[in-house]
Amino acid sequence: MNRAYKEVQQITVAVDCLIFGFNDGKLELLLVHRGFEPERDRWSLIGGFVLNEEDLDEAAHRVLSDLTGLDDVYMEQVRTFGKAHRDPYERVLSVTYSALVLKKDYNDELVKSYQAEWFPIDGLPELIFDHKDMVDSAMQRLRRRIKSGPVGFNLLPKKFTLPQLQKLYEAILGEEIDKRNFRKKLNSMDFLVKLDEKDKSESKKGAYLYELDEEKYNHIKNFNI
Amino acid sequence: MNRAYKEVQQITVAVDCLIFGFNDGKLELLLVHRGFEPERDRWSLIGGFVLNEEDLDEAAHRVLSDLTGLDDVYMEQVRTFGKAHRDPYERVLSVTYSALVLKKDYNDELVKSYQAEWFPIDGLPELIFDHKDMVDSAMQRLRRRIKSGPVGFNLLPKKFTLPQLQKLYEAILGEEIDKRNFRKKLNSMDFLVKLDEKDKSESKKGAYLYELDEEKYNHIKNFNI
DNA sequence: CCAAAAGTGTTGACGATACACCCATGT
DNA sequence: ACATGGGTGTATCGTCAACACTTTTGG
């Protein structure tokens, strides 16, 4: 390894954010509409370039905030796309980040004002470059993550109902889950606290609200749904 | 997103390769000794810079080949390290790749002639920059991968014995596995072909050699060890 | 009073683990 | 003949999946 740094080719580095939103039992993805060349009028992930003095993670948060107004989103790096000609205009390396949020926690108007828009995950428009591959790889990861680790909780509202939680899992996994088995498993892991409140927004009977026992939640050994 | 590409900061991009080697029941990692400044005389992962017209994956293979003489190694991307000051001399973004090889499949002399050296995974020297973090993250991934998917097979020699395979799993997982249960599970997945040959290099009795049934191997649904 | 969603237990099947002895061979 | 590693089966336990009815309440 010859560290003649200055003689080495430098590359433009971007971050692309995959913001999955959950709302009304459906999983959606946040995209931005390109009102400029190149690739005008097509849809793309939320992306931008990494600045000089910026950590990669910071760049992802800044880009997301700049393009959608969303702050304080918990994101994880997914993978890096680096084919030499993935962007036909100029070489750009892209590191992808993924997050899952509850749409209703965020201001829909704000998002709209940034020309960003939610699309159902199974009805995405055509995307630029290799962004579809990015979606696929992030979805794959999300499915794995949510099954085998406490994820999908960093993103829940403080209080939530079990039917809501179950629908979230169903939307991500793309399959139905048995109510009783689902509850049984959650109960056995013992990190949910049942509250005395009910949420009646989604049914007449109303569903009990739960919250996390943070302490227990952070020390789960065998999470598995 | 303003695509004024040329005005955007460009960044030096490196790949760092984590080559895990299995030999004699032990897991080792291949490192190179730095005979030059900066950080002379310290050890580092096998790394190099990504060239202009080179896919990221290609770069990883080239760097590995250039620094160790190893070719045709199956590598997978792990994650990208992008703190602004992870390399104190200049900003370098690093994408890590990981592989698992059988040491004896490769020419040890050749590797040595490149000033590369194998170290036991639990006796690594101090590494430069954030390379220790890279090792940790790659080990974590390796453990996950080997449990829940047919990995550790892309890297096996054509023919191998079950005791060898078991020791590989034990070395990676860091725990002992019951012989009978291990064999039972492999058998149930039905992708191993028992040969009529024995390998006597590791015992007097000799152990039967096996090979993969490629067809079945590529269509395993529930791999789980 | 009825529609719509919430809540609640049991059983059977399967997979995971624990466990001990004989076999083949080179020295 | 003995030391060394290779090979084999069974019993038990825990985990996962399948399955149906009662409760609450707004309209």
Side-chain angles (χ1 to χ4, degrees):
Chain A
M1 177 155 70
N2 188 337
R3 281 187 151 278
Y5 284 43
K6 293 299 184 192
E7 295 166 17
V8 173
Q9 173 65 40
Q10 294 196 315
I11 296 175
T12 302
V13 178
V15 290
D16 283 299
C17 302
L18 292 116
I19 310 302
F20 295 98
F22 182 67
N23 187 40
D24 201 21
K26 298 221 167 286
L27 192 62
E28 304 184 342
L29 182 66
L30 189 57
L31 300 175
V32 288
H33 184 253
R34 296 172 65 93
F36 46 85
E37 298 298 343
E39 305 287 339
R40 169 192 285 270
D41 283 332
R42 294 183 66 191
W43 293 88
S44 93
L45 294 173
I46 295 144
F49 299 109
V50 178
L51 303 181
N52 200 11
E53 281 291 322
E54 195 176 43
D55 289 352
L56 203 47
D57 293 353
E58 282 170 22
H61 285 96
R62 175 187 51 79
V63 166
L64 178 63
S65 177
D66 285 357
L67 270 78
T68 66
L70 297 182
D71 281 307
D72 293 323
V73 173
Y74 173 80
M75 288 196 286
E76 292 183 358
Q77 193 191 110
V78 182
R79 64 173 281 137
T80 299
F81 290 76
K83 282 205 187 296
H85 299 286
R86 52 172 291 279
D87 177 331
Y89 299 97
E90 181 183 336
R91 175 155 201 183
V92 179
L93 189 90
S94 171
V95 184
T96 55
Y97 281 78
S98 157
L100 184 53
V101 304
L102 285 172
K103 273 180 56 179
K104 70 173 177 187
D105 284 355
Y106 294 93
N107 185 334
D108 219 16
E109 290 311 309
L110 180 61
V111 166
K112 242 176 219 148
S113 76
Y114 282 89
Q115 295 142 310
E117 205 167 305
W118 294 100
F119 286 84
I121 198 67
D122 49 9
L124 297 179
E126 207 180 306
L127 301 175
I128 61 168
F129 308 157
D130 52 0
H131 284 197
K132 184 60 166 63
D133 297 336
M134 294 177 174
V135 174
D136 292 343
S137 110
M139 272 298 293
Q140 242 188 308
R141 180 193 167 88
L142 184 56
R143 273 194 270 264
R144 270 201 314 270
R145 289 281 283 137
I146 206 172
K147 269 197 214 173
S148 61
V151 182
F153 290 97
N154 296 300
L155 48 98
L156 284 172
K158 294 267 178 343
K159 302 173 183 182
F160 51 90
T161 68
L162 294 188
Q164 275 170 12
L165 185 59
Q166 181 173 343
K167 275 185 199 130
L168 173 63
Y169 271 81
E170 289 175 337
I172 292 172
L173 297 176
E175 59 190 27
E176 297 206 338
I177 301 175
D178 182 275
K179 231 186 331 182
R180 285 167 288 189
N181 293 337
F182 184 75
R183 284 157 183 261
K184 212 184 312 163
K185 229 180 282 191
L186 288 173
N187 260 320
S188 75
M189 284 183 290
D190 186 42
F191 61 92
L192 293 182
V193 182
K194 188 176 190 170
L195 304 177
D196 269 337
E197 265 171 289
K198 281 194 167 189
D199 173 275
K200 296 205 169 189
S201 65
E202 307 194 32
S203 75
K204 300 173 181 182
K205 183 177 178 180
Y208 280 105
L209 287 163
Y210 286 76
E211 62 182 16
L212 289 186
D213 180 328
E214 297 279 355
E215 192 50 39
K216 289 178 181 167
Y217 170 72
N218 289 322
H219 299 111
I220 301 174
K221 297 196 98 68
N222 294 324
F223 189 101
N224 216 39
I225 288 194
Chain B
M1 176 156 70
N2 187 338
R3 280 187 152 280
Y5 284 44
K6 293 300 185 192
E7 295 166 17
V8 173
Q9 173 65 39
Q10 293 196 316
I11 296 176
T12 302
V13 178
V15 290
D16 283 299
C17 302
L18 293 116
I19 309 302
F20 294 99
F22 182 68
N23 186 40
D24 200 23
K26 296 221 167 285
L27 193 62
E28 304 184 342
L29 182 65
L30 190 56
L31 300 176
V32 288
H33 184 253
R34 296 172 64 94
F36 46 85
E37 298 297 342
E39 305 287 338
R40 168 193 285 270
D41 283 333
R42 293 184 66 191
W43 293 89
S44 93
L45 294 174
I46 294 145
F49 299 109
V50 178
L51 304 180
N52 200 11
E53 280 292 321
E54 196 176 43
D55 289 353
L56 203 48
D57 294 353
E58 282 170 20
H61 284 95
R62 175 186 53 77
V63 166
L64 179 62
S65 176
D66 285 357
L67 271 77
T68 65
L70 298 182
D71 280 307
D72 294 323
V73 174
Y74 174 80
M75 287 196 287
E76 292 183 358
Q77 193 191 111
V78 182
R79 65 173 280 136
T80 299
F81 290 76
K83 282 205 186 297
H85 298 288
R86 52 172 292 279
D87 176 332
Y89 299 97
E90 181 183 336
R91 176 155 203 183
V92 180
L93 188 91
S94 170
V95 185
T96 54
Y97 281 78
S98 157
L100 184 51
V101 304
L102 286 172
K103 272 179 59 181
K104 69 173 181 190
D105 284 356
Y106 295 95
N107 185 334
D108 219 15
E109 290 311 308
L110 181 60
V111 165
K112 242 176 221 150
S113 77
Y114 282 89
Q115 295 144 310
E117 206 168 305
W118 294 100
F119 286 83
I121 198 68
D122 48 10
L124 297 179
E126 207 180 306
L127 301 174
I128 61 168
F129 307 156
D130 52 1
H131 284 197
K132 184 58 167 63
D133 296 336
M134 294 177 175
V135 175
D136 292 342
S137 112
M139 271 299 293
Q140 242 188 309
R141 179 191 167 90
L142 184 56
R143 275 195 268 264
R144 271 200 315 268
R145 288 280 284 137
I146 206 172
K147 268 197 217 175
S148 62
V151 183
F153 290 98
N154 296 299
L155 47 99
L156 284 173
K158 295 266 178 342
K159 302 173 182 181
F160 51 90
T161 69
L162 295 188
Q164 275 170 11
L165 185 60
Q166 182 173 342
K167 276 185 199 131
L168 173 63
Y169 271 81
E170 289 175 336
I172 292 172
L173 297 176
E175 60 190 26
E176 297 205 338
I177 302 176
D178 182 275
K179 234 188 326 186
R180 286 167 288 190
N181 294 337
F182 184 74
R183 284 157 184 261
K184 212 187 311 166
K185 229 182 280 192
L186 288 173
N187 261 320
S188 77
M189 284 182 289
D190 186 41
F191 60 90
L192 292 182
V193 182
K194 188 177 191 171
L195 304 177
D196 269 336
E197 262 172 291
K198 281 196 167 189
D199 172 276
K200 297 206 168 187
S201 65
E202 308 193 30
S203 76
K204 300 172 182 181
K205 183 176 178 180
Y208 280 105
L209 287 163
Y210 287 75
E211 62 181 15
L212 289 186
D213 180 327
E214 296 279 354
E215 191 51 39
K216 289 177 179 166
Y217 171 71
N218 290 322
H219 299 110
I220 300 174
K221 297 197 98 67
N222 293 324
F223 189 101
N224 216 40
I225 288 194

